[in-house]
């Protein structure tokens, strides 16, 4: 079966750095997506990785290791507005997105 | 603002009611999706349309009936729902189906079935 695992909840301090991990087992691989979802709002696209390595986009970076079936989202200089759920999703061989249950990130002052 | 709008944002209905959810995308995309999001569960893909044709139906009960009159509009018709159908229903669109295209989501309709 296909499976995406990510922690249910994480807590971090404003101004700090946090890493949200995602491991996956899927039928084929056509890329990994990270989305941010604030409570009651639409999931919004953050990043897409299809090759191994680190992609940096401002305060957010995303890493992929295809051989390990592993990705992480790194958030630097945390701000209170970063409190949200972060969704990891893998696109399988049929170009269907397989979703994790999301990681709720709580930022404390 | 993602370019995908959904109405209504909130809906409360009885088990015998009939209602419809509406989604509109202003991105010029060809593929549209309905997802169900329940608390602490992964998003569940319900239906996919590509160029107005339904390409996937992930074993969704017949009490959910999709309609896609054109590439910009998508509806989900609801009838005789069950309380376990209460969830956030998300609409998304992407350039095409069948490629690694990013999906863009609407804000969802929070559905409560009494």
């Amino acid at each position: 079966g296909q499976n995406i695992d990510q922690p249910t909840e994480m807590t971090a301090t404003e101004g700090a750095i946090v890493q949200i991990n995602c491991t996956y087992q899927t039928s084929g691989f056509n890329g990994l997506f990270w989305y941010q979802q604030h409570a009651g709002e639409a999931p919004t696209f953050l990043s897409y990785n299809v090759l191994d390595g680190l992609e940096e986009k401002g305060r957010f970076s995303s890493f992929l290791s295809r051989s390990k079936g592993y990705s992480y989202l790194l958030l630097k200089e945390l701000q209170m507005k970063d409190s949200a759920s972060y969704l990891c999703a893998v696109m399988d061989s049929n170009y269907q997105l397989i979703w994790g249950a999301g990681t709720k990130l709580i930022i404390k002052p | 603002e993602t370019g995908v709008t959904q109405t209504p944002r909130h809906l409360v209905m009885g088990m015998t009611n009939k209602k419809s959810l509406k989604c509109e995308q202003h991105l010029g995309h060809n593929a549209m999706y309905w997802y169900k999001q329940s608390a602490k569960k992964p998003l569940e893909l319900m239906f996919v349309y590509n160029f107005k044709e339904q390409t996937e139906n992930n074993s969704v009960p017949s009490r959910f009936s999709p309609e896609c009159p054109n590439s910009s509009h998508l509806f989900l018709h609801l009838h005789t729902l069950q309380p376990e159908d209460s969830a956030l229903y998300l609409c998304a669109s992407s350039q095409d189906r069948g490629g690694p295209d990013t999906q863009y989501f609407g804000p969802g309709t929070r559905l409560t079935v009494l």
Side-chain angles (χ1 to χ4, degrees):
Chain A
Q2 309 201 89
N3 193 52
I4 310 288
D5 284 317
Q6 52 181 132
T8 303
E9 188 174 297
M10 299 182 70
T11 302
T13 304
E14 189 177 16
I17 299 173
V18 71
Q19 177 175 312
I20 302 174
N21 296 325
C22 172
T23 58
Y24 63 88
Q25 289 180 304
T26 55
S27 303
F29 181 83
N30 278 303
L32 185 144
F33 293 80
W34 285 98
Y35 283 81
Q36 179 191 61
Q37 186 178 24
H38 286 100
E41 297 184 13
T44 55
F45 169 73
L46 289 177
S47 66
Y48 171 69
N49 294 66
V50 67
L51 299 176
D52 289 351
L54 186 69
E55 295 273 347
E56 297 187 73
K57 196 183 290 186
R59 294 189 297 114
F60 292 8
S61 302
S62 55
F63 172 83
L64 175 67
S65 170
R66 288 173 297 172
S67 62
K68 295 182 179 178
Y70 168 70
S71 173
Y72 66 73
L73 182 69
L74 190 72
L75 291 73
K76 302 177 185 176
E77 301 170 16
L78 286 171
Q79 301 175 10
M80 297 302 293
K81 67 178 182 180
D82 297 329
S83 293
S85 289
Y86 292 84
L87 311 180
C88 173
V90 173
M91 189 163 274
D92 69 9
S93 57
N94 293 320
Y95 297 102
Q96 178 166 321
L97 281 177
I98 310 302
W99 294 85
T103 298
K104 183 177 180 181
L105 179 63
I106 300 168
I107 310 296
K108 295 186 174 180
Chain B
E1 189 63 45
T2 62
V4 182
T5 58
Q6 289 187 245
T7 55
R9 293 293 308 275
H10 300 273
L11 179 62
V12 179
M13 58 188 290
M15 293 168 62
T16 58
N17 291 157
K18 289 185 180 181
K19 296 286 184 181
S20 294
L21 310 184
K22 179 182 176 182
C23 174
E24 183 174 359
Q25 57 97 359
H26 309 273
L27 300 170
H29 289 165
N30 299 311
M32 296 188 78
Y33 310 77
W34 278 118
Y35 284 93
K36 176 183 180 182
Q37 187 176 34
S38 302
K40 300 185 179 181
K41 289 186 177 181
L43 269 68
E44 300 173 45
L45 180 64
M46 300 175 71
F47 302 104
V48 182
Y49 280 82
N50 199 35
F51 291 96
K52 304 188 300 178
E53 298 297 320
Q54 187 179 128
T55 58
E56 286 164 62
N57 173 341
N58 281 2
S59 303
V60 180
S62 59
R63 57 186 183 270
F64 295 91
S65 174
E67 179 189 0
C68 188
N70 55 60
S71 293
S72 299
H73 294 86
L74 186 64
F75 295 89
L76 187 63
H77 305 299
L78 316 172
H79 63 98
T80 60
L81 293 190
Q82 305 297 310
E84 60 264 29
D85 296 322
S86 298
L88 182 68
Y89 288 84
L90 291 164
C91 174
S93 71
S94 67
Q95 187 59 56
D96 283 298
R97 177 83 177 103
D101 297 323
T102 300
Q103 292 183 20
Y104 295 88
F105 286 83
T109 296
R110 173 67 62 185
L111 174 67
T112 302
V113 181
L114 302 176

